Amino acid sequence: MLGFASTADGIANTSSKLEKTRLLATYLRGLEASDLRLATTWMTGRPFSLNDPRTLQLGGSSMWKAVAGLTGADPEELGRVYLKHSDPGDWAEEVLAGHTRPEPTSLQEVGTAFAEIEAANGAAPKLERLTDLLGRLDPAAAKYVVKVMANDLRIGLQEGLVEEAVAQAFELPLATVKRVHMLTGDLGETAVRAQAGETAAASIELFRPIRFMLAGAVPDAAEALERMGGKTVWTEEKYDGVRCQLHRSGDRVALYSRDLRETTAAFPEVVEAGRELGHDLLIDGEILAHRNGKVLRFFELQRRLGRKVVARKLLDEVPVVLVAFDLLYLDGEPLLDRPLRERRRLLEELHLEHPFLLARFDNASSAKELDRIFGETRERGNEGLMMKNPESPYTPGRRGLSWLKLKRPLATLDCVVTAVEWGHGKRRGVLSDYTFAVRDEENDRLVNVGKAYTGLTDAEIATMTEYFLEHTLVDHGRVRLVEPDTVVEVAFDSIQRSARHKSGFALRFPRIVRLRDDKTQKDIDTLATVEELYERFFGGESQTELVEVAEPGT
Ligand code: AMP
């Protein structure tokens, strides 16, 4: 485990992506298969691979108790060190120093301990195993074991760099590694196959979810068109539901979510209808709550998520549909390398029926046309527009240019900051998370509508940190309530009803765009405005209508 830790330290200590990749590749090359599988997975900051349904189910408080038990440190001391680092791994390393009995511990032993912690039933047995594991680690190794358990390494290593390191370690083209990763949904498995030279045979296996193709964001239509090479682009509505992959073979149907978890049990009506499809296939699409031809609010759909059993009443209240937009496998044949144009044709030829729908589809060859379509899709209540290159194969990853999304903030709101929180990682030691409020005029009070990691510059954050430290009303440690006199402009994707905030609303995906030094608390937006925006764009049943049979491809 010390080898893993020193490699990770090396990666943290350089900002050069090339150097990070080189260090990791050198380390991975020297590992044997079983260690390689674990190390690669852990380098992506998770204890189990993405498509492994297991989670440790271990809260921060167990970690706290284990470390307190080993060190005998009082909560105040633990809190003080935590605030210094704002990172559980760095914290554990410092407080555990001199309090463990380090034994040489292999990756396999740590892997076994993770499996035992996961399998242990209840908080006490989990804590016992965790304490045992930490107690035999060198603090330098414990640091990374804790970071992996907390699902965040914070060493500036995105998944893409781990893929590059695997490619470099085993002298393969990056595209090959990405492809195997997409098909297996498991970077550890991908590394093992790369090492064994078994990458050629990788193909779709039904009931092993593959990684989803994602879209890059563009700010406006002109840029979208340019990035697509200036040719005709396909557009589809961007539905605000949850991504879903449907696998079917014979009587067996399974659904998987964007994070490759199985969600079959949550959507029985889709599964039932899936059995009737008459083909072995893999469909990519979006699940939406949908009744009487209308899309229901995301808030309604949320009631269906994560269920193991869905009661009849809920099935009636919140029925769902699967809006299909891609077909990746049909009767024994993987379709990933076929152009979208062909995949869409095959999808249409399935003549899907309710609860399957086809994504509404159009095409454009000028920015003006795209703008018009965007406006129409907004009118129908959708959050934005997807643009796809009809000649493109299905490839995973954010940076692709074949799928783009155009989402524009509807409006921005001027809000006042009411609370601030200490940041993590690079933002350690500064107050970087802001909770903000609008004015509830009726009751003459401020009501929170969201919280966001600030998008301000480092210099602004530093200045604001000093300011907030001086203008703290209540210090809760991590969080400080501050004098409500800092106005920020906040952009967001949509507004949801929320029981968490007194306002009754929460902004979805809020971003702090800038400080409004020119404004004071009396200039901020009101709850009435939030309500109005909600009613107009996100309230009630939206006006989205879905076409069941799409227009033929161009
Ligand atoms: P975002 O979550 O903003 O990165 O946008 C990408 C997500 O939009 C995908 O993962 C899908 O869940 C969703 N989406 C909605 N409609 C479509 C569509 N027609 N094609 C592809 N993705 C879509």
Side-chain angles (χ1 to χ4, degrees), residues 240-300:
D240 189 17
V242 293
R243 191 79 176 260
C244 178
Q245 213 171 84
L246 178 145
H247 294 224
R248 177 205 187 260
S249 176
D251 262 0
R252 185 170 170 206
V253 175
L255 307 177
Y256 302 92
S257 63
R258 179 176 176 142
D259 56 2
L260 310 190
R261 305 253 168 237
E262 186 166 350
T263 53
T264 311
F267 307 113
E269 64 268 65
V270 176
V271 173
E272 216 169 284
R275 287 203 191 96
E276 309 301 321
L277 285 176
H279 296 274
D280 285 0
L281 46 70
L282 195 171
I283 288 175
D284 184 9
E286 187 95 347
I287 295 245
L288 300 174
H290 186 265
R291 196 173 48 215
N292 303 333
K294 297 270 164 72
V295 178
L296 307 183
R297 292 173 273 174
F298 186 79
F299 158 76
E300 300 273 8

Side-chain angles (χ1 to χ4, degrees), residues 218 220-231 233 365-367 370 387 401 404:
V218 277
D220 59 49
E223 185 172 334
L225 213 64
E226 193 187 312
R227 288 231 235 150
M228 288 266 172
K231 294 193 234 55
V233 300
S365 44
S366 71
L370 267 182
M387 283 150 294
L401 296 180
L404 295 173

Side-chain angles (χ1 to χ4, degrees), residues 355-522:
F356 298 105
L357 303 170
L358 282 183
R360 186 187 273 262
F361 164 91
D362 209 333
N363 59 69
S365 44
S366 71
K368 209 166 137 213
E369 268 176 281
L370 267 182
D371 268 333
R372 176 184 52 78
I373 298 171
F374 182 80
E376 288 168 4
T377 190
R378 259 293 162 68
E379 285 292 303
R380 281 191 292 270
N382 284 308
E383 60 168 352
L385 199 63
M386 301 290 300
M387 283 150 294
K388 301 183 177 179
N389 178 346
E391 309 309 331
S392 61
Y394 191 91
T395 48
R398 284 213 158 261
R399 274 171 293 160
L401 296 180
S402 302
W403 285 16
L404 295 173
K405 61 186 176 196
L406 185 60
K407 288 204 285 191
R408 251 175 251 153
L410 266 181
T412 56
L413 287 171
D414 289 331
C415 302
V416 69
V417 178
T418 54
V420 292
E421 213 175 303
W422 293 102
H424 301 286
K426 249 182 36 195
R427 295 274 166 90
R428 181 167 72 204
V430 289
L431 292 160
S432 64
D433 286 44
Y434 298 174
T435 299
F436 39 82
V438 291
R439 180 190 319 288
D440 172 4
E441 282 182 317
E442 233 165 79
N443 300 300
D444 192 22
R445 57 178 188 172
L446 296 172
V447 284
N448 290 338
V449 287
K451 177 177 137 174
Y453 183 71
T454 118
L456 304 177
T457 65
D458 288 348
E460 281 173 324
I461 294 174
T463 312
M464 291 315 296
T465 298
E466 263 175 51
Y467 181 83
F468 288 131
L469 286 176
E470 280 163 26
H471 294 82
T472 296
L473 298 174
V474 188
D475 179 1
H476 288 304
R478 282 205 64 70
V479 181
R480 287 167 170 255
L481 305 187
V482 294
E483 288 174 27
D485 55 7
T486 303
V487 179
V488 285
E489 183 177 337
V490 183
F492 53 92
D493 286 356
S494 72
I495 302 174
Q496 256 180 295
R497 283 233 175 254
S498 158
R500 186 147 44 98
H501 298 307
K502 267 207 199 96
S503 62
F505 294 102
L507 304 187
R508 277 189 86 205
F509 304 118
R511 290 141 347 242
I512 293 171
V513 195
R514 58 193 166 123
L515 282 170
R516 296 303 305 248
D517 295 336
D518 52 330
K519 294 199 172 180
T520 65
Q521 202 209 92
K522 67 176 177 9

Side-chain angles (χ1 to χ4, degrees), residues 309-328:
V309 183
V310 190
R312 183 75 251 167
K313 186 161 172 281
L314 187 56
L315 274 178
D316 292 340
E317 279 174 15
V318 189
V320 300
V321 291
L322 175 62
V323 184
F325 46 73
D326 222 317
L327 182 66
L328 309 182

Side-chain angles (χ1 to χ4, degrees), residues 110-121:
V110 176
T112 306
F114 283 170
E116 285 174 2
I117 293 171
E118 188 272 338
N121 229 332

